[in-house]
Structure formats: C-alpha cells, structure tokens
C-alpha cells in the first residue's frame, strides 16, 4: 500500500526533521515518486500543489527537471493559483538552455494583453528573469504598451522588463525611447527609479539615445534639486537623507550624460556643488550619495574648483571611522593621482597615516597611493616615511614596499650618495624581499660614482659585519669589498668616521659568509670572487686565500666548484696574469650597455605605474596574454643578449678615434589602422649610435565628430625582441582633427630579425567600447636590416 502524498508544510517539516543526509534523501525520493505519479495521472486540481513541493525540492539542490512541462500547463491554466505557481516554476526551472522556455511565449503574450494586473505582473517578472533574445523580440511591443498603463504596479514591472530586454537585445532601443521622456514626469518612486535605470541602459548601448537624452539633463537636475530641498516622501527617507537610492541613480545617469560634453556638464555644475556641500555625512546613506557626487564631478567636464572640492571630500573620507569608506577614498584618490596630482598631494599626511592601518587591504591601498605621490620635491620625506613603514609592515606587503622605494629612489634621487644610502637601508631592512635586479642596480650605481667608492665600501663592510642574513646585501657588500678593498684598508674617508680595518678581519668576514648556512650558492660565488680579487689588492701573504679557494674546488655546487677550480688554476699556472685578470671593473660606457640600462629603467617605471591608478581596469594579465600571441624563441624573452660590438668599432674605441657614422636615410611612415575617422600611423627612427634599437612613434588622429576616449594602445613582438612601451601623451584623441595623441615604442633587435608587430587598441567612440587586435607585417625593411 502506497503512503499518501504529503502536503507542502508536512514535507518541509519532515525534511527539516531528518537527522542524517540519508534520511533526507529517502524522504525526497519517496515524495518525488508521488509527484511523478500525480503528473502522469494528470490531476488538474492538485497539480499546483505538487509543483510547489517540487520547487522546494529543487531549491534544496535535488533534480526537478521533470516538472518543466507542468509549469507550461499551469501557466496556460485560467486559474490564478495555477498561474502563480506555474510562473514561479518557470523562473526557477527554465532558462535559455532549455527549448521549453520558448513554449510559454504565447501564454505570456496573452496574459500581458488580456490578463489582470496580478497576472500581468507575474508574466512581466517571468519575462525579465528568463526571457531569451527571441522572446524579447516577440514581446517587445506588448511591454511597450504596458509602459503607459494607468496602474503604477504594472508600469514599474514593465520598466524593469524593458531594462532586461535592452540588455538582451540592444537594437530594441528605438522602441523604448519615446515612453522614457513621459515616464520621467512620474512621482511614483519605483517607476522613476526604474525609468532612470532604463535610460542608463539605453545611453550605454546607443549613441543616438545618449544624444537624445542629453536634452533631459535640466529635468534630471530639477528632480535631484527637489529631492535635496523638499524631499520625496517620508517612507523613502533613510537616516534623514531623502531617497538616497534615487539620488545615487540620478547621479550615475548625470555622469553618463555629462561625460565629454561641455554643455551638459555646465548645466549640472551648480547642482553637484549643492549636493557636495549640503549632504549630511553623519550617516552611511549620506556618504553613499556624496561618493557618487564625487565620481560624477571627476568624470564630467566640471570646473577646476569643483574638482578640488571633490578631492577634498575624499580627503575627509580618509578620516572616517568606517574602514570601507577609507578604502573607497584611497582607491578613488589612486585613480586621480595622475590627473589631479597637486590636489591629491595636499592630503599626503593623511595618506601616510593610513599606512599604519591594521587592515592589510587598507595599508596596501595606502602604500600604492603613497608611492604614486612621490616626486622630486618630497622624495626625501616620503622615502623616510616609507622606510619606517617597511620596518613594521606585514610580510606580504614588504616586497611591494621595498620595490616601490627602490623605484622612487632611482627616479627622483637628489644625489648619488642619498641614492646609495637609501638602497642600503632597504637591503638592510628587507633584503630578502627586494627584486632580483636590485643587486645589479646598486653595483652599477656604486661603480659609476667614483667619488663615493671609499664611502660605499665602508658602509657596506659595517653592514655586513652586523648581519650576513640578508642575501642581496651580502652580495653587494662582497662585490664592493672585492672591487675596492684597498680603499677599505686605507682607513681615510671624509664622509664618515675613521674606520681601522685589518686584512685578517676582512678575510675572516668573507670566510664567514662562505661557511654560513644562510648563504645562497650565488652569495658564496660573490664571496669567493671577492676573496680572489683581494689577492691582488692586499699587501699580505695570499696563502690563506689560496687554501680557501682550493677547498671549494671539491664543492657539491657545480658552479661554485668550477669557479674555485679556475681560480686555483690562476694561482698555480697563470700567476703572472692574475693581477691583470682581476683588476677593477671598468665604468659603464655609453652605447650598447646603455640600451640595457634604459630598458631596465623603462621596466621599473612600468612597475611604478602599476601601483598608480589604472585607467578603467587593470591590464597586466591582458598584456601577458597579448605577449603570447606571437610565436618566437622561448629563450632571451625577458633578458635579451647584450649587443656584440663589431671588431672595427672596438678598435676605434680602443684607439679613442672619432668615428661619425654616415646619416641614415629616413624611413617612410606607415598607416596601419583606420576606422570611423580614427587613424593610426607609425613613424620610425633608428639612432646611428645604436643600430639595434628602433624607435617607433605611434600617432593617433581623429577626424570624426566625436572624441575618442579611454584610448589604450598595447603592443607585442616576438620573444627574440625586447619591447618597451613609454607612457602615452594622453588617453583622449580630440575630434575634428584636434591635437593628436602620441606614444613611443622602443624595440631592441640584437639579431636583426624581420620585425613583426601586433597591436591591440581599446577605446570608446560615440559611446561604444571598441577593441581591435591586428598584426602589422608590412613594416619597411629599413626598420630591421
């Protein structure tokens, strides 16, 4: 005998009363069997109850697909109780992946045109939830008629359904343009809020709609001013702020309408100033309205004084006790630091205080903003603050902080001595967290500052004597002691206090580095080379150095063993050449090595810009994907080989004879892109002193009637090349042939291989976002031969 089917409430109680998962599955399986049997029997009176139970089972995560056709039957039923459950089931069980959703199009059409308000509301909710593009096209006319129905209940749901239709089928914009102007006169909160949302969707997807609705800016300004002065209604006020949801939505629409449009921006300037000064900030609702006001001011062509007011509001947000508000303020200021640097600079003390926030996300944002605020006038003070933060910052922020300080010091260092001191302090505090190129940069900096050799070697010796755990510091100190050990032993340096060092102390310190379990193989290599170089700079007996070198001839590390064997061979067989081989490293010469140096500087500037605000959205992962679009050798992708000087050039350099290469013939320009008035052309220059280097100037011009905004040009080359993208002159290409936008690309081609270039353009034109990816294969031969 079968157990009778449970009621909905009884089923819920029994499922909740199950003590184990197995008991729950048993109850659901039995009830699903009863539901299937009821569906087969075709019981019309209890079909909606069975489907209601099945929907509850579906919400628990169990399969309920066998109830899809029952939803269609209930929707077609004339009874409201059946339609209510049927439409609910359609919203939960049907979507565009099932063909069955198309079968309810006819029922929805009939209910929209002939049903009561409640049935029309159900049909509109279902259509806005799971309506496909085909359904939207078929039912757009019925929804348009309902936008002007007398019932506010139906009109509100029709507006929200129209929003869904525009998102699914943007070409339906023309159908919903006329009713929107009339709906803006509504006093009903839900209808007005939905209408503004609909206008936003229309403007974002249609340039014609954007131009059409710029005429209603005065009306929107008046609505918002009424909200500020007289209020909307008491039931829509939150914490004394009149309808903050409607205010925020109007501000977002004004931001869209005023972007890159002078007349609309002027119309809303006074209102934005009024909102910014009169909004109550003691409650979170007021802060939300104020933040949207700030975003609108910064996004439109507002007056300079209004932009300063917006930045000051964000500065006040930094003092708020709410962590979320402080985070939003830091993120917004980070976006503004490039365009309004001086205004953001006024809040630098408050930003620096945010570095001590216990919340890691806040301190990370404050660190990024602090690094972006560093310039030549405040580099000493800001570096001191950042070094203090580096000593106490969390471990996951230490690498970013150390790298940022090194980049800022390299870019804005007032003197070489200050630069060296700053890097040494960073290496002493967080040496294990610095970038891999910090050692090479510091050794190059010390080598080029001949007047600071004695000062540098003494500072590094003292730092190494105190701590040998920071590997980058140990490597730099070992290199410097090996190069300038004779200056260390002289004991004379005007820059610091006199320091008396004996030869035995220097050798003992380097041996301690070699024997330390904390030393990496690379660090031991630096120390062993330093000992070998000291054999030509010390006046004492070299037997101690020879013994240490011979010991490491049997080291397990192959690289260290090979180096020790070679050094030991110098002692035994080529002792007469040892002094010449181990002489001091020459200063970095201009020419080929300078190209590599400039490449490093460009990469460091790019990393610094990553800490600064990113226009629209961050692009690092996209750049990595772009670099994989072109095939090429996997080697030398990140570290290209230095240029090999020709024998003739080396001879000229050796004899110190003047050599002026003949001037190169000009390389013709190349037009690579044209669309809707936007043109992109490339001009080429190859410096005579560095023939492997190609400078490409990308020039973007715009002859159309609308500005090209948010313009980003990215490039990729095969992996055997090295590419540097310099910062563009701007991100907007003015209309009607205005001032062009330029960007410099530096391409190093040591192998003189045929050049291929792939470009990715991302921009906004006439309100539409455009992305173009194309390859340039017809570059002139003169660019690479």
């Amino acid at each position: 005998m079968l157990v009778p089917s449970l009621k909905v409430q009884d089923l819920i109680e029994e499922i909740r009363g199950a003590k184990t998962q197995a008991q729950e599955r048993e109850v659901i399986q039995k009830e699903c069997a009863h539901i299937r049997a009821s569906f087969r029997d075709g019981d019309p009176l209890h079909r909606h109850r069975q489907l209601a139970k099945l929907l509850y089972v579906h919400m628990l995560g169990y399969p309920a697909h066998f109830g899809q056709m029952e939803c269609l039957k209930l929707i077609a039923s004339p009874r409201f109780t059946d339609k209510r459950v049927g439409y609910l089931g359609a919203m939960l069980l049907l979507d565009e992946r099932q063909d069955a959703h198309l079968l309810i199009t006819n029922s929805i059409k009939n209910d929209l045109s002939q049903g009561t308000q409640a049935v029309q509301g159900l049909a509109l909710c279902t259509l806005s939830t799971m309506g496909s593009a085909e359904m939207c096209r078929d039912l757009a006319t019925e929804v348009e008629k309902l936008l002007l129905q007398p019932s506010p209940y139906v009109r509100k749901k029709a507006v929200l359904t129209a929003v869904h239709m525009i998102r699914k089928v943007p070409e339906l914009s023309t159908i919903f343009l006329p009713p929107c102007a009339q709906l803006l006169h509504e006093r009903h909160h839900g209808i007005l809020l939905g209408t503004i949302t609909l206008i936003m969707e229309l403007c974002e997807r249609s340039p014609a709609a954007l131009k059409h609705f710029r005429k209603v800016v005065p009306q929107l300004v008046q609505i918002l001013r009424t909200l500020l002065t007289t209020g909307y209604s008491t039931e829509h006020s939150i914490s004394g702020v009149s309808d903050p949801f409607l205010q925020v939505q109007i501000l977002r629409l004004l931001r869209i309408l005023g972007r890159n449009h002078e007349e609309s921006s002027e119309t809303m300037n006074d209102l934005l100033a009024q909102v910014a000064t009169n909004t109550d900030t003691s409650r979170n609702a007021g802060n939300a309205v104020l933040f949207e006001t700030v975003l609108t001011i910064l996004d439109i062509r507002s007056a300079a004084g209004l932009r300063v007011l917006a930045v000051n509001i964000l500065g006040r947000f930094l003092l708020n006790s709410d962590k979320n508000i402080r985070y939003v303020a830091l993120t917004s200021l980070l976006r503004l630091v490039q365009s309004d640097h001086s205004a953001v600079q006024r809040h630098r003390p408050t930003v620096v205080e945010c570095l001590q926030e216990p919340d890691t996300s806040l301190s990370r944002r404050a660190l990024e903003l602090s690094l972006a605020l560093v310039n030549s006038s405040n580099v000493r003070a800001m570096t001191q603050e950042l070094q203090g933060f580096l000593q106490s910052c969390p471990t996951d922020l230490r690498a970013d902080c150390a790298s940022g300080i090194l980049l800022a010091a390299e870019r804005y260092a007032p003197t070489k001595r200050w630069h060296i001191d700053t890097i040494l302090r960073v290496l002493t505090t967080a040496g294990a967290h610095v970038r891999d190129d910090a050692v090479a940069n510091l050794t190059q900096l010390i080598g080029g500052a001949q007047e600071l050799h004695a000062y540098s070697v003494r500072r590094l010796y003292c730092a190494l004597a105190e701590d040998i755990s920071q590997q980058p510091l140990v490597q730099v100190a070992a290199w410097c002691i090996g190069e300038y050990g004779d200056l260390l032993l002289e004991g004379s340096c005007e820059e610091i206090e006199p320091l008396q060092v004996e030869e035995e102390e220097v050798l003992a310190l380097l041996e301690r580095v070699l024997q330390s379990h904390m030393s990496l193989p690379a660090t031991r290599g630096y120390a062993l080379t330093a000992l070998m170089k000291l054999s030509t700079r010390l006046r004492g007996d070299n037997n101690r150095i020879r013994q240490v070198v011979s010991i490491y001839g049997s080291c397990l590390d192959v690289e260290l063993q090979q180096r020790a064997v070679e050094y030991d061979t110098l002692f035994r067989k080529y002792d007469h050449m040892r002094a010449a081989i181990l002489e001091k490293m020459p200063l970095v010469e201009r020419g080929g090595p300078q190209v590599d140096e400039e490449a490093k500087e460009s990469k460091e500037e790019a990393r610094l810009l990553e800490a600064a605000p990113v226009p629209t959205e961050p692009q690092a992962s996209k750049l990595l994907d772009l670099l994989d679009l072109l095939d090429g050798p996997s080697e030398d992708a990140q570290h290209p080989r230095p240029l090999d000087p020709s024998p003739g050039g080396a001879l000229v350099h050796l004899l110190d004879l003047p050599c002026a290469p003949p001037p190169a013939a000009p390389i013709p320009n190349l037009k690579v892109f044209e669309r809707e008035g936007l043109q992109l052309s490339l001009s080429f220059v190859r410096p005579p002193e560095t023939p492997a280097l190609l400078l490409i100037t990308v020039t973007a011009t715009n002859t159309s009637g609308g500005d090209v905004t948010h313009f980003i040009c990215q490039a990729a080359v095969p992996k055997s090349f090295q590419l540097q993208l310099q910062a563009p002159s701007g991100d907007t290409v003015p209309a009607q042939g205005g001032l062009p936008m330029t960007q410099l690309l530096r391409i190093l081609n040591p192998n003189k291989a045929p050049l291929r270039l792939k470009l990715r353009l991302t921009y906004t034109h006439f309100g539409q976002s455009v992305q173009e990816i194309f390859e340039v294969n017809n570059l002139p031969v003169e660019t690479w031969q």
Side-chain angles (χ1 to χ4, degrees):
M1 180 178 178
L2 292 176
V3 179
S5 178
L6 298 173
K7 296 181 179 180
V8 178
Q9 294 180 349
D10 296 338
L11 175 64
I12 295 174
E13 291 178 1
E14 190 165 345
I15 290 176
R16 290 181 176 178
K19 296 181 179 180
T20 63
Q21 192 71 25
Q23 290 181 1
E24 179 181 303
R25 284 196 300 268
E26 183 180 359
V27 172
I28 290 176
Q29 288 173 358
K30 288 182 179 179
E31 193 58 34
C32 285
H34 286 294
I35 294 173
R36 282 193 179 93
S38 176
F39 287 162
R40 284 195 304 269
D41 295 341
D43 183 7
L45 296 178
H46 299 91
R47 181 180 286 127
H48 66 280
R49 297 180 182 176
Q50 303 294 344
L51 185 59
K53 291 188 291 184
L54 186 61
L55 294 180
Y56 179 74
V57 170
H58 168 73
M59 288 187 289
L60 294 178
Y62 292 92
H65 57 277
F66 58 89
Q68 293 175 355
M69 298 307 296
E70 301 303 317
C71 296
L72 306 181
K73 296 177 183 178
L74 289 177
I75 291 174
S77 172
R79 297 195 306 171
F80 176 75
T81 54
D82 290 345
K83 285 184 178 292
R84 182 176 58 181
V85 179
Y87 276 122
L88 178 61
M91 286 186 273
L92 292 176
L93 301 181
L94 297 178
D95 55 31
E96 296 184 37
R97 291 172 295 180
Q98 288 94 20
D99 294 335
H101 78 282
L102 296 174
L103 300 177
I104 66 173
T105 304
N106 227 14
S107 299
I108 294 179
K109 186 173 184 179
N110 292 333
D111 288 340
L112 290 178
S113 58
Q114 302 174 5
T116 61
Q117 293 184 16
V119 174
Q120 288 175 336
L122 288 174
L124 289 170
C125 286
T126 304
L127 182 58
S128 62
T129 302
M130 45 76 64
S132 62
E134 294 83 358
M135 294 176 65
C136 292
R137 291 189 184 95
D138 294 339
L139 301 174
T141 307
E142 280 71 19
V143 174
E144 180 198 3
K145 295 176 182 177
L146 295 178
L147 287 175
L148 302 178
Q149 279 285 326
S151 170
Y153 173 81
V154 176
R155 273 183 292 167
K156 180 180 70 172
K157 292 186 178 296
V159 170
L160 297 178
T161 305
V163 172
H164 172 78
M165 287 183 166
I166 294 299
R167 291 171 179 171
K168 279 289 183 181
V169 189
E171 55 265 26
L172 294 176
S173 302
T174 54
I175 298 179
F176 298 107
L177 278 179
C180 287
Q182 184 174 347
L183 290 172
L184 279 177
H185 295 282
E186 288 286 342
R187 292 288 299 170
H188 188 277
H189 165 83
I191 298 176
L192 189 56
L193 187 60
T195 301
I196 294 175
T197 305
L198 176 59
I199 295 175
M200 289 173 58
E201 295 293 335
L202 291 169
C203 292
E204 289 178 351
R205 286 164 173 77
S206 171
L210 179 63
K211 184 178 180 180
H212 172 78
F213 284 113
R214 279 189 173 134
K215 303 174 184 176
V216 302
V217 169
Q219 186 176 352
L220 293 171
V221 168
Q222 184 58 40
I223 294 174
L224 187 54
R225 183 174 282 114
T226 303
L227 287 174
L228 292 175
T229 55
T230 62
Y232 189 80
S233 59
T234 55
E235 62 266 22
H236 295 109
S237 297
I238 300 177
S239 302
V241 180
S242 176
D243 204 342
F245 294 100
L246 186 56
Q247 288 193 51
V248 165
Q249 205 71 345
I250 293 175
L251 288 168
R252 289 176 179 174
L253 178 55
L254 290 176
R255 183 156 71 242
I256 296 174
L257 297 175
R259 187 180 298 144
N260 300 319
H261 195 261
E262 192 73 33
E263 183 180 351
S264 299
S265 301
E266 290 180 1
T267 305
M268 61 185 78
N269 271 342
D270 293 340
L271 172 69
L272 294 175
Q274 182 181 355
V275 176
T277 54
N278 295 338
T279 302
D280 181 18
T281 59
S282 60
R283 301 290 183 177
N284 204 36
N287 288 324
V289 174
L290 202 56
F291 178 66
E292 290 295 335
T293 305
V294 169
L295 295 183
T296 303
I297 291 173
L298 299 175
D299 211 16
I300 68 173
R301 295 185 176 180
S302 54
L306 201 56
R307 296 181 70 87
V308 173
L309 174 62
V311 176
N312 292 339
I313 291 173
L314 294 177
R316 292 204 305 269
F317 279 174
L318 293 177
L319 303 174
N320 199 292
S321 58
D322 193 315
K323 293 181 180 180
N324 295 324
I325 295 177
R326 294 202 299 274
Y327 182 85
V328 165
L330 289 170
T331 304
S332 302
L333 289 173
L334 192 58
R335 292 174 50 197
L336 287 174
V337 74
Q338 295 298 320
S339 57
D340 297 274
H341 190 275
S342 59
V344 180
Q345 193 73 240
R346 299 190 188 99
H347 304 281
R348 179 164 53 89
T350 310
V351 173
V352 172
E353 290 179 5
C354 293
L355 288 172
Q356 306 303 326
E357 289 282 353
D359 192 312
T360 306
S361 59
L362 282 174
S363 56
R364 182 181 295 277
R365 274 285 183 262
L367 173 62
E368 294 172 356
L369 183 55
S370 299
L371 292 173
L373 288 175
V374 178
N375 56 26
S376 56
S377 61
N378 63 18
V379 63
R380 292 179 182 270
M382 286 296 294
T383 303
Q384 187 175 359
E385 295 284 354
L386 292 169
Q387 286 174 345
F389 172 68
L390 181 61
Q391 295 177 353
S392 59
C393 71
T395 306
D396 55 344
L397 290 181
R398 188 157 292 187
D400 294 337
C401 184
S403 298
I405 294 174
L406 295 180
L407 294 175
E410 183 164 354
R411 189 173 185 181
Y412 302 110
T415 62
K416 287 186 177 180
R417 176 176 172 177
W418 181 90
H419 192 183
I420 293 174
D421 290 342
T422 300
I423 298 179
L424 288 181
R425 281 194 291 269
V426 172
L427 293 181
T428 304
T429 306
H433 297 86
V434 298
R435 301 194 320 269
D436 295 338
D437 59 349
V439 174
N441 290 341
L442 181 54
T443 55
Q444 184 178 359
L445 176 64
I446 295 174
Q450 189 171 2
E451 69 280 4
L452 297 175
H453 285 171
Y455 172 77
S456 301
V457 72
R458 281 167 173 74
R459 285 290 312 273
L460 284 165
Y461 176 81
C462 295
L464 184 60
E466 292 180 2
D467 184 14
I468 63 171
S469 62
Q470 303 288 358
Q471 296 303 293
L473 175 66
V474 176
Q475 292 173 10
V476 176
W479 179 88
C480 198
I481 292 172
E483 292 293 325
Y484 314 116
D486 51 340
L487 301 177
L488 178 64
L489 297 176
E490 288 177 3
S492 61
C493 180
E494 299 177 359
E495 308 269 347
I496 58 177
E497 296 180 1
L499 178 66
Q500 297 297 328
V501 182
E502 301 294 334
E503 294 182 3
E504 296 298 323
E505 296 176 357
V506 178
L507 296 179
L509 182 58
L510 292 175
E511 288 181 16
R512 188 154 68 102
V513 172
L514 282 170
Q515 297 168 3
S516 173
H517 68 280
M518 295 181 291
S519 296
L520 299 173
T523 306
R524 291 191 173 95
Y526 274 95
L528 193 64
T529 303
L531 282 172
M532 195 65 187
K533 290 210 168 190
L534 287 177
S535 67
T536 65
R537 291 155 175 73
L538 303 182
R539 295 178 294 272
D541 190 11
N542 290 328
N543 287 330
R544 182 174 181 177
I545 297 176
R546 294 186 62 176
Q547 290 176 0
V548 174
V549 170
S550 62
I551 290 173
Y552 281 88
S554 57
C555 178
L556 294 178
D557 185 85
V558 177
E559 175 66 24
L560 199 59
Q561 180 191 105
Q562 179 180 349
R563 188 169 300 181
V565 170
E566 291 171 351
Y567 291 161
D568 187 56
T569 305
L570 278 178
F571 275 118
R572 289 186 293 103
K573 294 184 179 181
Y574 306 99
D575 195 61
H576 61 286
M577 301 172 58
R578 180 165 48 86
I581 293 175
L582 298 175
E583 64 182 8
K584 291 182 180 179
M585 294 289 292
L587 298 179
V588 177
E589 297 289 341
R590 293 287 177 184
Q594 180 68 13
V595 176
D596 293 340
E597 180 184 357
E598 292 176 356
K600 289 180 182 178
E601 293 176 357
S602 178
K603 289 181 179 179
E604 290 164 357
E605 291 176 1
R607 291 192 183 99
L608 183 62
L609 289 176
E610 289 176 3
V614 182
T616 62
E617 50 186 325
Q619 300 288 333
S621 60
K622 295 183 178 179
L623 282 174
L624 292 176
D625 294 338
L626 183 61
L627 293 176
D628 292 334
L629 293 177
L630 293 175
D631 297 325
S634 59
E635 301 295 330
D636 304 325
Q638 309 244 339
H639 304 283
R641 294 187 296 274
L643 302 175
D644 297 325
S646 63
L651 181 61
V652 170
H653 180 72
L654 180 63
L655 298 178
D656 198 21
L657 296 177
C659 179
I667 304 175
N669 296 345
L670 180 65
K671 183 189 291 187
V672 296
F673 177 79
E674 183 173 4
R675 172 177 172 175
E676 296 180 351
L678 177 65
Q679 297 181 1
L680 205 71
S681 60
L682 307 181
S683 57
F684 312 93
V685 174
R686 293 181 67 181
E689 66 276 9
T690 313
L693 180 64
L694 175 65
L695 304 179
I696 301 179
T697 302
V698 181
T699 304
T701 58
N702 180 15
T703 58
S704 67
D707 292 348
V708 174
T709 59
H710 303 95
F711 185 87
I712 299 174
C713 177
Q714 298 166 329
V717 293
K719 295 183 178 179
S720 59
F721 297 77
Q722 182 183 7
L723 171 66
Q724 307 163 29
L725 277 77
Q726 303 292 339
S729 60
D731 64 347
T732 300
V733 187
Q736 305 296 337
L739 189 66
M741 191 219 73
T742 60
Q743 184 173 9
L744 180 64
L745 311 181
R746 300 168 59 91
I747 299 178
L748 190 62
N749 182 9
N751 302 325
K752 293 188 176 181
L755 177 59
R756 292 183 297 150
L757 189 66
K758 178 158 285 192
L759 297 178
R760 172 187 284 173
L761 306 181
T762 305
Y763 59 90
T764 301
H765 198 193
F766 295 119
Q768 291 184 347
S769 297
V770 181
Q771 178 175 296
E772 293 284 348
I773 300 177
F774 55 92
E775 187 169 348
V776 182
N777 292 321
N778 57 339
L779 292 172
V781 179
E782 296 86 353
T783 60
W784 53 273
Q785 279 191 352

